[in-house]
Amino acid sequence: MTDGQPISDDDRRTAPAPLPPPGATCPVRPGGGAPHRLAPGGAGRAAADALLREAGAVVPVLLPGEVPAVAVTHHAVLREVLAHPEVAKNACHFAALHDGTVPPGWPLTTFATVDGMTTADGADHRRLRGLVTKVFTPRRVAALRPRVVELTAALLDGLPGAAAADGTVDLRRHFAYPLPMSVICELLGVDAALRDRLHELSNLIVRTTGTADEVQAANREITAVLGEVAEARRADPGDDLTSALLAAQEEDGDRLSARELVGTLLLMIIAGHETTLNLITNAVRALCTGREQLELVRAGRATWDDVVEETLRHDSPVAHFPFRYPVRDLELGGTVVPRGTPMLASYSAAGRDPEAYGADADRFDVTRRPATRHLSFGHGPHYCLGAPLARLEATVALEALFTRYPALDLAVPDAELPPHQSFIGNSTHVLPVRLTG
């Protein structure tokens, strides 16, 4: 674990793992007790996360298909894992994937095997990350603000026309989704006609309640669609990331394979809109159910940046993100995790860890000034490249939304909103609101 500069990826194979302190014991091995079964529909997220935290910092869980894994639920241990020199991302370290334990057509295979930054280590990770880093620099992101403001205003103009007969509007569908999807697709040079289908397919991939056949079909189709996007940009290059990636590929084929190109586009599409979609949705829910927090912002006692950061901590857009693997048996948080065990980064659980955020960690408080920074965008070498863009989109969207519609409120109680069908994404499936309260 490091502060400031993360550990070099080159060190991930050579640096020794930290030894347990004198007298420490490692009494629990994954699989040695009754594992927790993650709720695939994400129902009762806060209560389920609390149970996981109470079970320990590193908790045995069962994934779909009865695949054993562990969830890292405590903030301090998760921060250690995210930058640990002997915790890898490449699925060559995923023992069950190679010994026949994982069933054929396993729905979560894509998260382990897609070619891209999220499954790369060392030099491969630096190479792939370097190809897209320049698009997400603070300067480049700041230059996108006028376009984000423009898109936000247009979507707000259209909300009254999207209202149902009873006056309710699904804010998730008509505002929280199209804003980040439009921005990332413009950055990638994706035609507007493809955006809704790409969203549907990415939802099928992230959803953890789908059948193996459904997920495999979605993977095949989204790969084909993104291949078409690449060919369109190859024939007609533009000032977009896909064209830049293709230019790098043509300049030096060793820099980016065809599979890595599609894998990078897949990562950009899913991560580039699903996270921000959930972030905006969760922030609106929190402000509508805690109007006093909204009034603190309006009174100047907190900022929209504060709203975004507290939402990221309190109700992380990502619940349990797959996968990481120890490259040898590791002692983590009092638990020995065997080499090759798939590990989930439980961001939503860590965000409400009382050890990090105090006894009131479950309370949404925009004036909170925690000494411990949340981990919702990760930590270490794989820290989310798109974090500055997500923050920009969310702050612009929330300020404009509550300025245009100051009395906006939920049309149904928050507890009755159906959860997103995933233990990876963390939000509700819909967000019905009334624009005038």
Side-chain angles (χ1 to χ4, degrees):
M1 178 172 76
T2 63
D3 293 307
Q5 293 298 316
I7 291 175
S8 165
D9 283 357
D10 286 336
D11 295 334
R12 296 173 72 85
R13 297 295 172 268
T14 58
L19 294 174
T25 59
C26 306
V28 180
R29 278 186 173 270
H36 291 250
R37 192 178 298 276
L38 295 179
R45 172 74 66 210
D49 283 346
L51 288 174
L52 285 174
R53 279 194 309 272
E54 290 168 8
V58 181
V59 185
V61 296
L62 275 180
L63 301 174
E66 305 301 296
V67 175
V70 298
V72 185
T73 65
H74 290 195
H75 180 280
V77 180
L78 178 56
R79 190 174 189 272
E80 177 187 2
V81 165
L82 295 176
H84 200 293
E86 292 188 298
V87 174
K89 293 280 282 179
N90 193 301
C92 69
H93 300 284
F94 188 172
L97 197 63
H98 306 290
D99 67 10
T101 303
V102 172
W106 191 47
L108 296 179
T109 298
T110 295
F111 289 94
T113 61
V114 63
D115 284 315
M117 287 181 288
T118 58
T119 57
D121 296 305
D124 277 343
H125 176 244
R126 287 195 303 277
R127 171 176 57 85
L128 293 168
R129 190 177 177 96
L131 290 170
V132 299
T133 296
K134 60 185 178 182
V135 177
F136 296 102
T137 63
R139 181 182 62 82
R140 289 292 297 271
V141 169
L144 292 172
R145 176 176 286 274
R147 181 56 178 154
V148 174
V149 169
E150 180 183 13
L151 287 168
T152 299
L155 291 169
L156 292 177
D157 288 343
L159 287 181
D166 63 357
T168 63
V169 179
D170 183 354
L171 199 70
R172 183 175 173 90
R173 176 184 176 187
H174 295 288
F175 182 67
Y177 149 63
L179 176 60
M181 190 61 164
S182 296
V183 173
I184 194 62
C185 284
E186 288 184 7
L187 281 174
L188 293 175
V190 175
D191 190 277
L194 296 175
R195 295 174 189 176
D196 285 348
R197 186 55 182 158
L198 285 171
H199 173 61
E200 293 167 359
L201 292 169
S202 67
N203 252 326
L204 285 170
I205 293 169
V206 172
R207 193 181 72 187
T208 51
T209 56
T211 67
D213 288 344
E214 288 174 333
V215 175
Q216 287 179 348
N219 274 308
R220 286 193 297 269
E221 185 176 349
I222 201 168
T223 298
V225 171
L226 293 174
E228 293 171 7
V229 169
E231 289 309 308
R233 295 283 67 78
R234 194 186 303 275
D236 183 21
D239 183 21
D240 56 74
L241 178 57
T242 303
S243 297
L245 291 172
L246 287 166
Q249 186 184 50
E250 291 173 1
E251 178 184 332
D252 182 358
D254 290 337
R255 292 183 67 191
L256 189 70
S257 71
R259 285 175 57 86
E260 289 172 336
L261 172 62
V262 171
T264 299
L265 295 179
L266 177 62
L267 167 65
M268 294 292 104
I269 286 289
I270 295 179
H273 89 280
E274 290 280 354
T275 301
T276 310
L277 161 60
N278 291 347
L279 172 57
I280 295 172
T281 300
N282 294 354
V284 171
R285 291 167 51 220
L287 291 172
C288 287
T289 56
R291 306 293 299 191
E292 76 284 355
Q293 299 297 313
L294 179 58
E295 292 309 314
L296 289 171
V297 179
R298 288 173 170 160
R301 294 178 56 191
T303 67
W304 291 106
D305 289 332
D306 294 329
V307 172
V308 168
E309 295 309 309
E310 179 65 350
T311 303
L312 287 164
R313 180 203 70 83
H314 178 264
D315 205 6
S316 172
V318 177
H320 308 286
F321 192 77
F323 291 115
R324 283 174 164 80
Y325 321 94
V327 300
R328 68 170 178 85
D329 290 6
L330 288 180
E331 188 276 332
L332 297 165
T335 296
V336 171
V337 183
R339 178 175 66 88
T341 301
M343 306 171 73
L344 301 173
S346 297
Y347 295 120
S348 60
R352 298 197 189 188
D353 183 356
E355 293 180 4
Y357 300 105
D360 69 343
D362 278 329
R363 185 168 66 90
F364 181 78
D365 179 6
V366 296
T367 65
R368 188 186 298 271
R369 299 292 183 271
T372 303
R373 189 173 180 83
H374 67 76
L375 297 170
S376 287
F377 286 127
H379 172 66
H382 287 270
Y383 182 81
C384 178
L385 271 176
L389 179 57
R391 287 183 164 111
L392 170 65
E393 292 169 337
T395 52
V396 168
L398 293 168
E399 180 175 12
L401 175 67
F402 284 100
T403 299
R404 178 77 69 92
Y405 302 109
L408 180 143
D409 207 353
L410 299 181
V412 298
D414 183 68
E416 295 179 12
L417 294 173
H420 189 43
Q421 295 297 299
S422 174
F423 59 70
I424 298 172
N426 174 38
S427 193
T428 59
H429 183 60
V430 294
L431 187 62
V433 302
R434 297 187 188 279
L435 301 177
T436 56

